[in-house]
Amino acid sequence: MKKIIIPIMIIAIATAFYQEQKADKNVYIVLVAIGVFMLGMMKLSAKTPSKNIDKKEENVQ
């Protein structure tokens, strides 16, 4: 899954940067590209364990 998400995110950000450099910018393409990037980041960071995973529930603030 990680091997698929990372290239999609790179393509989305490259598209957003390319659209920003053009004289006739398309805002909707930039918004979609940023949305795809953010969704990819959410999926990748969801697998990162919490710092409080070893603590008991009553000690977590």
Side-chain angles (χ1 to χ4, degrees):
M1 185 73 145
K2 185 176 173 182
K3 293 179 182 179
I4 296 171
I5 294 175
I6 292 175
I8 291 173
M9 290 172 44
I10 291 171
I11 292 170
I13 288 301
T15 303
F17 282 141
Y18 176 71
Q19 285 294 320
E20 282 294 320
Q21 298 299 321
K22 289 174 57 176
D24 53 340
K25 299 173 183 142
N26 192 341
V27 177
Y28 297 113
I29 293 176
V30 174
L31 288 175
V32 169
I34 292 173
V36 168
F37 178 76
M38 294 303 288
L39 287 173
M41 285 301 293
M42 284 177 23
K43 287 197 176 271
L44 288 176
S45 66
K47 296 182 180 184
T48 305
S50 174
K51 289 193 288 185
N52 298 327
I53 200 162
D54 293 334
K55 297 181 180 178
K56 293 183 180 179
E57 286 295 321
E58 60 262 3
N59 291 339
V60 177
Q61 294 182 3

